[in-house]
Amino acid sequence: EDPEKLMNLFIDTFLEQKICPAEIKVRDKRSYLFAEDLCQKLKIPLNMENSLEALEETEFEFWNRFGIPNEEDDSSNTLQ
């Protein structure tokens, strides 16, 4: 509900852990807009890619582990 607060938590975590990613990759415009300010503040590249294999594998495992149908793959998830 508060993307700015979440972004500040990301930045604080990077600073506390003394880490900084060399690059952030996203696969949709919403994620790009969310990460844009972070990347500008950290002076790191932000790139949008159609497919991010590691993220897709992680999502698949998450949905399977918790028994939640993946909304992108669930064609029965329609409004009536």
Side-chain angles (χ1 to χ4, degrees):
E1 292 182 19
D2 189 351
E4 187 172 334
K5 183 177 179 179
L6 182 57
M7 189 58 60
N8 289 333
L9 287 172
F10 275 126
I11 293 169
D12 291 345
T13 301
F14 289 145
L15 294 173
E16 287 173 14
Q17 298 298 317
K18 297 183 173 123
I19 59 172
C20 184
E23 171 187 32
I24 293 183
K25 295 179 182 180
V26 297
R27 56 175 192 196
D28 58 46
K29 187 69 173 174
R30 181 178 177 202
S31 299
Y32 188 94
L33 293 172
F34 176 77
E36 191 171 32
D37 191 45
L38 170 72
C39 290
Q40 287 175 353
K41 288 179 181 176
L42 296 174
K43 297 181 174 95
I44 59 174
L46 173 62
N47 295 301
M48 190 170 352
E49 298 188 11
N50 291 332
S51 177
L52 296 171
E53 188 174 327
L55 178 60
E56 291 162 6
E57 290 173 8
T58 302
E59 279 182 321
F60 179 79
E61 291 299 320
F62 174 84
W63 296 126
N64 282 337
R65 178 172 295 218
F66 295 102
I68 302 169
N70 184 340
E71 293 176 5
E72 292 178 0
D73 296 334
D74 186 6
S75 60
S76 67
N77 194 11
T78 57
L79 297 174
Q80 295 181 359

